[in-house]
Amino acid sequence: MTDEEKHNDEMSCCKHHDHGNSEHKCNMHHDGMEMREHSHSEHENMSCCSHGGEHDHSHGDHMGDMHHMNHEDMHHHTNEMGHNHMGHDMNHMNMNGMGCGMDMDHGHMDHGSMGHMHMGNLKLKFWISLILTIPIIIMSPMMGMKMPFQVTFPGSDFVVLLLGTILFIYGGYPFFTSCISEMKSKKPGMMSLITMGISVAYVYSVYAVIANDVFKVTPMVNDFFWELSTLIVIMLLGHWIEMNSVMNAGSALNKLAELLPDNAHLVQSNGQTKDVSVHELSEGQTILIKSGEKVPADGKIIDGSTSLNESLITGESRDVQKNVDDSVIGGSINGSGTIKVKITGTGESGYLSKVMNMVSEAQSSKSEAEDLANKVAGYLFYAALVVALIAFITWSIIHGVAYAIPITVSVLIIACPHALGLAIPLIISRMTSISATHGLLIRNKTALEGIKEIRYALMDKTGTLTQGDFKVNAYESLDSNINKKDIIKIAAAIEASSSHPLAQGIVQAFKDLNEAPLQSENVEEIAGSGIKGTVNGKEYQVVSSSYLDKNNISYDQKIAEKYLQQGNSLSYVVEDNNVIGYIAEGDSIKPGAKDMIDFLNSQNIVPVMLTGDNKQAADKVASILGINEVNAQLVPEDKQKLVTKYQDKGKVMFIGDGVNDAPSLTKADLGVAIGSGTDVAIESADVVLVNSDPADVINLVKLAKHAHTKMIQNLWWGAGYNIIALPLAAGALSSIGIIIGPMLGAVIMSLSTVIVAINAMTLKIN
């Protein structure tokens, strides 16, 4: 089992945490806002962590004020994504070894049944087929008519036969193999139509050469090598264009990989450093990371301290302080300090690998529209057979078999649905490319098909609408023997090892005092409620109101109400079951949140807030953003139930930060994860917003709606012309001199393909 598989298995149900483990940093406390962080070793010890939120940490009663909100509201991306799962060994990050299922040199693409085709092979086939086609065009008449550039000589027909046979076998091979796959699955489609068209043209042309040059029949039989060769070349060119388009998304994501450094400072056994390629790094080695440099791989600091900008990974713009034994994430940017890091993770379990995998999955999965395109192609296959059979019988009776066969061939060639085959894949590949460059990683494009039917946008609050960056707005001592500043000093000493946003807010407030720090001992998490520790020989708790209520500890409700109405979160400092002080902290709304809500309202999509926070805090944020429907004091399973409830009224989009929101992200018609750093987010969401910016939802909705419109247009361009062309090719209007031959049919088909491609390339975010 790989590290990534082990991690996914371990994280699939996390009910029992070893809180006795001294390394455990599970910071889940303070009303309604839980967040956990696991050290590297705990990834090996965790046995069961339900994505549905069934934690032994219990979400119990933390419904009061907002202090340390539920895990589902604030998983946030911090260190959960790091540790042994963020290795960015560029040896695995290049597009050939990404584990993403897409080799950039031989871009594998599943187009209908054409999944065996590789980019390199297709390009080579096209050029060789084009070289073979040129002499065929020069020596073979078009529709029996000699062109000004026509060159013939004794035996030229046999040269054309030889070249045509090579072209038919070599250039047509991918269509044959794909056709076999379609037939085996009893679902004839695009490849079957192509195979039928070129096979009929080839067989008839062989017959023509034998009849004309061996048996000398009169009148001469027209061959279709000209049409056969151009048809194959056009088809190959079309697929080459399509694959190039598909590769654009991978190229865009490759730019993310380029954000990692090319080299690293490897610390050798003699203490000297040596610059090496990140390809050469392996677990257990020590690297030196200087000020301002990018972290080349995951690891643990063994010397020095610094601050890291992890915004590329977590979406959080604030620098994170790092000291000895703290973990660092490959791809983050080092601050002013110089550190030595022991590498703990390189390879395909890294963040960028997961991003590449998502794009690969998006490109290879089938959407409803693609299925519809294949169904239409299947119908055309049968329609072409029926029309061709009717035309053959009818014209054989009227004018004879020799007259009927060219018409039959025309029907089969015109029915070849290459444009239809390109109609949807080109849109999808274009959409994937655009989304990747805008920080939108589409994991399940099928979910985007119903974007126009979305009626409700249910969303998490903390980490989605708000920054999760808490600042202390007020603090006070309630004990006359304790100085006001001591409340912050005691709380900061206990919270110093916690990475929870509220804890970090308290620590930062203490730093602003420029006071000497206090030392804490025996620090332990209080499951679902707070944290405790010993300072100067006395035990203190920093907890939420739910802890106070549960333990019948009295506190001033009026003070709590005052700060809660202002949208603050409250932490209480407790000694010997007495509240000796409180700390009020406020979160800030993300800049893009208001724009997203306004846009959703303009699209008649009703925004609904679902949060584990207290109602006062939730209502405060909702009133600022313009959200009218608020559901507060929820646990994860409540959110999932509400998703189901709203689905009874219409299709639902759920926007969350991707850990304990997993059940809701999966249940919703469209799941959008804010932040892309965790396995759970990647596995649960249909779309991941890399930049953790809610405003990116605007681009997502615009792009998806525009893409849907383009798909419908392309389906009509790809298949609609057959409605007219097939009857005309069959001779329905021959009585008035209107008939489509193979050459004109090929031109029409090619024109349709070009229109489909151009239409797809015009897709953009309006």
Side-chain angles (χ1 to χ4, degrees):
M1 182 179 291
T2 65
D3 288 342
E4 183 176 355
E5 289 168 338
K6 176 187 280 187
H7 176 69
N8 290 338
D9 182 53
E10 290 165 346
M11 291 298 289
S12 64
C13 61
C14 182
K15 231 174 168 179
H16 307 291
H17 294 257
D18 180 9
H19 297 293
N21 187 335
S22 62
E23 293 185 37
H24 194 83
K25 301 176 183 176
C26 197
N27 307 305
M28 310 176 74
H29 51 298
H30 306 254
D31 279 49
M33 185 169 80
E34 300 178 3
M35 176 180 175
R36 71 166 191 234
E37 172 192 357
H38 299 291
S39 68
H40 173 69
S41 62
E42 290 166 344
H43 284 291
E44 302 298 324
N45 295 331
M46 282 191 293
S47 57
C48 211
C49 185
S50 169
H51 296 163
E54 312 225 354
H55 297 263
D56 273 356
H57 310 310
S58 101
H59 296 206
D61 297 325
H62 31 285
M63 306 296 181
D65 51 61
M66 182 178 134
H67 193 61
H68 278 57
M69 302 171 306
N70 280 333
H71 187 177
E72 85 275 7
D73 232 16
M74 194 66 201
H75 78 86
H76 226 284
H77 336 298
T78 342
N79 292 330
E80 176 123 53
M81 59 192 278
H83 313 302
N84 198 31
H85 303 275
M86 289 300 302
H88 292 285
D89 184 353
M90 287 298 290
N91 191 34
H92 299 277
M93 285 298 108
N94 62 46
M95 294 305 292
N96 294 318
M98 206 82 187
C100 68
M102 184 165 61
D103 186 320
M104 292 301 289
D105 290 328
H106 302 285
H108 180 77
M109 174 192 169
D110 183 5
H111 167 62
S113 302
M114 212 161 172
H116 306 292
M117 182 74 78
H118 292 288
M119 190 65 180
N121 294 340
L122 185 58
K123 182 178 180 180
L124 180 63
K125 281 185 181 294
F126 167 74
W127 285 113
I128 291 178
S129 297
L130 179 61
I131 292 172
L132 292 171
T133 295
I134 293 174
I136 291 176
I137 291 176
I138 293 175
M139 292 185 285
S140 177
M142 180 179 65
M143 284 294 294
M145 298 182 295
K146 287 191 175 183
M147 307 299 290
F149 55 81
Q150 194 82 48
V151 175
T152 58
F153 53 84
S156 61
D157 288 348
F158 291 103
V159 174
V160 171
L161 174 60
L162 176 61
L163 295 175
T165 300
I166 296 173
L167 177 61
F168 175 68
I169 296 173
Y170 177 76
Y173 177 77
F175 305 109
F176 304 149
T177 56
S178 300
C179 175
I180 291 173
S181 298
E182 288 184 352
M183 290 302 179
K184 284 182 177 179
S185 63
K186 298 180 180 179
K187 292 182 179 179
M190 290 172 285
M191 299 301 105
S192 299
L193 275 172
I194 295 170
T195 299
M196 181 171 63
I198 62 177
S199 297
V200 169
Y202 175 73
V203 171
Y204 183 77
S205 297
V206 172
Y207 156 72
V209 172
I210 295 174
N212 294 333
D213 294 274
V214 177
F215 296 103
K216 308 294 183 181
V217 298
T218 53
M220 293 185 64
V221 180
N222 295 325
D223 67 66
F224 294 100
F225 279 118
W226 196 98
E227 291 75 21
L228 167 70
S229 59
T230 53
L231 188 56
I232 289 177
V233 168
I234 289 172
M235 295 299 181
L236 291 175
L237 176 61
H239 283 285
W240 182 18
I241 293 172
E242 179 182 1
M243 284 190 176
N244 269 323
S245 178
V246 171
M247 290 304 103
N248 287 341
S251 298
L253 287 179
N254 198 31
K255 294 177 182 177
L256 286 176
E258 293 171 0
L259 294 176
L260 293 172
D262 295 324
N263 300 306
H265 310 303
L266 178 65
V267 180
Q268 303 178 91
S269 57
N270 60 4
Q272 299 297 313
T273 60
K274 175 185 178 183
D275 286 353
V276 300
S277 170
V278 292
H279 299 184
E280 302 174 35
L281 296 179
S282 59
E283 291 185 21
Q285 291 181 326
T286 299
I287 53 177
L288 179 72
I289 305 172
K290 299 178 181 178
S291 174
E293 292 183 338
K294 297 174 183 178
V295 177
D298 291 357
K300 182 172 289 187
I301 297 176
I302 59 175
D303 183 40
S305 63
T306 188
S307 60
L308 291 181
N309 184 335
E310 299 179 339
S311 59
L312 170 66
I313 313 300
T314 67
E316 296 294 330
S317 58
R318 185 178 43 153
D319 288 352
V320 180
Q321 186 65 35
K322 297 288 184 178
N323 300 300
V324 173
D325 290 335
D326 286 339
S327 296
V328 298
I329 300 169
S332 52
I333 302 174
N334 188 22
S336 57
T338 296
I339 54 176
K340 287 184 179 180
V341 173
K342 184 176 181 180
I343 298 175
T344 59
T346 61
E348 297 178 0
S349 62
Y351 169 69
L352 291 182
S353 278
K354 290 179 174 61
V355 169
M356 300 298 180
N357 278 321
M358 284 191 293
V359 174
S360 178
E361 290 171 16
Q363 291 174 336
S364 63
S365 63
K366 285 287 183 181
S367 71
E368 292 174 0
E370 283 178 304
D371 290 338
L372 176 60
N374 283 325
K375 288 179 181 178
V376 171
Y379 296 146
L380 282 176
F381 176 81
Y382 292 114
L385 285 179
V386 171
V387 173
L389 182 61
I390 292 174
F392 178 76
I393 295 174
T394 302
W395 290 112
S396 293
I397 294 174
I398 298 175
H399 292 295
V401 173
Y403 186 88
I405 289 180
I407 294 178
T408 303
V409 172
S410 297
V411 171
L412 296 176
I413 291 178
I414 287 174
C416 186
H418 190 65
L420 178 62
L422 293 176
I424 302 305
L426 277 178
I427 295 292
I428 295 301
S429 61
R430 174 68 175 166
M431 180 173 66
T432 305
S433 175
I434 294 174
S435 64
T437 58
H438 286 79
L440 304 171
L441 298 178
I442 300 172
R443 184 171 182 268
N444 178 11
K445 57 183 179 287
T446 301
L448 292 176
E449 301 283 334
I451 192 71
K452 287 190 173 182
E453 299 173 18
I454 296 293
R455 292 293 171 262
Y456 297 94
L458 279 57
M459 60 196 72
D460 182 23
K461 184 180 78 64
T462 306
T464 300
L465 298 174
T466 63
Q467 297 281 14
D469 184 6
F470 289 82
K471 296 181 179 179
V472 173
N473 294 325
Y475 57 94
E476 193 61 71
S477 171
L478 301 177
D479 188 324
S480 58
N481 296 320
I482 299 178
N483 185 280
K484 175 181 178 180
K485 290 184 179 180
D486 288 337
I487 296 298
I488 279 289
K489 292 174 70 174
I490 292 169
I494 298 173
E495 298 275 28
S497 62
S498 173
S499 63
H500 193 283
L502 284 178
Q504 292 178 352
I506 292 173
V507 172
Q508 184 59 49
F510 165 72
K511 289 180 178 179
D512 293 341
L513 296 177
N514 293 318
E515 297 274 345
L518 299 177
Q519 299 301 314
S520 61
E521 299 175 330
N522 304 318
V523 176
E524 294 181 28
E525 179 240 343
I526 302 174
S529 298
I531 194 169
K532 65 180 180 179
T534 302
V535 179
N536 292 336
K538 295 181 180 180
E539 184 177 282
Y540 298 93
Q541 296 88 34
V542 183
V543 294
S544 63
S545 63
S546 63
Y547 177 87
L548 303 180
D549 295 336
K550 189 185 303 181
N551 291 277
N552 298 316
I553 299 174
S554 62
Y555 60 100
D556 193 328
Q557 298 280 357
K558 291 184 179 180
I559 292 178
E561 190 70 21
K562 171 187 174 182
Y563 286 105
L564 291 174
Q565 287 180 350
Q566 295 173 1
N568 287 283
S569 166
L570 280 176
S571 301
Y572 296 90
V573 182
V574 177
E575 179 189 5
D576 294 331
N577 287 332
N578 292 312
V579 176
I580 62 173
Y582 63 84
I583 303 170
E585 295 180 75
D587 194 2
S588 58
I589 294 174
K590 287 188 174 183
K594 177 64 175 173
D595 292 338
M596 177 187 71
I597 299 302
D598 290 344
F599 173 78
L600 292 174
N601 283 322
S602 71
Q603 299 295 305
N604 295 318
I605 299 175
V606 180
V608 182
M609 182 191 293
L610 309 183
T611 178
D613 286 354
N614 62 83
K615 195 171 189 309
Q616 297 99 317
D619 287 342
K620 180 70 174 179
V621 173
S623 64
I624 295 173
L625 294 177
I627 300 175
N628 297 320
E629 297 191 31
V630 179
N631 296 268
Q633 301 180 189
L634 304 175
V635 293
E637 51 266 35
D638 292 334
K639 291 185 177 182
Q640 188 177 16
K641 291 175 183 176
L642 283 168
V643 170
T644 302
K645 177 182 176 181
Y646 276 95
Q647 282 178 325
D648 292 337
K649 304 177 184 179
K651 286 196 172 184
V652 169
M653 170 169 58
F654 184 89
I655 309 169
D657 52 2
V659 174
N660 264 3
D661 289 324
S664 302
L665 286 165
T666 304
K667 178 66 177 175
D669 299 289
L670 175 60
V672 180
I674 295 285
S676 56
T678 66
D679 294 329
V680 180
I682 291 173
E683 292 301 322
S684 304
D686 300 307
V687 178
V688 179
L689 309 184
V690 175
N691 299 322
S692 300
D693 185 356
D696 286 341
V697 172
I698 299 173
N699 286 337
L700 173 64
V701 174
K702 286 182 176 180
L703 179 61
K705 286 189 173 184
H706 195 196
H708 183 269
T709 300
K710 288 289 185 182
M711 288 178 186
I712 300 302
Q713 292 173 352
N714 269 10
L715 283 175
W716 276 107
W717 280 114
Y721 81 95
N722 283 284
I723 298 174
I724 299 175
L726 282 177
L728 291 180
L733 298 180
S734 61
S735 59
I736 58 175
I738 299 176
I739 190 168
I740 296 179
M743 182 275 295
L744 185 56
V747 171
I748 294 175
M749 178 274 300
S750 302
L751 180 61
S752 178
T753 300
V754 172
I755 293 174
V756 161
I758 292 175
N759 191 44
M761 291 303 102
T762 60
L763 174 65
K764 59 183 179 180
I765 299 178
N766 290 329

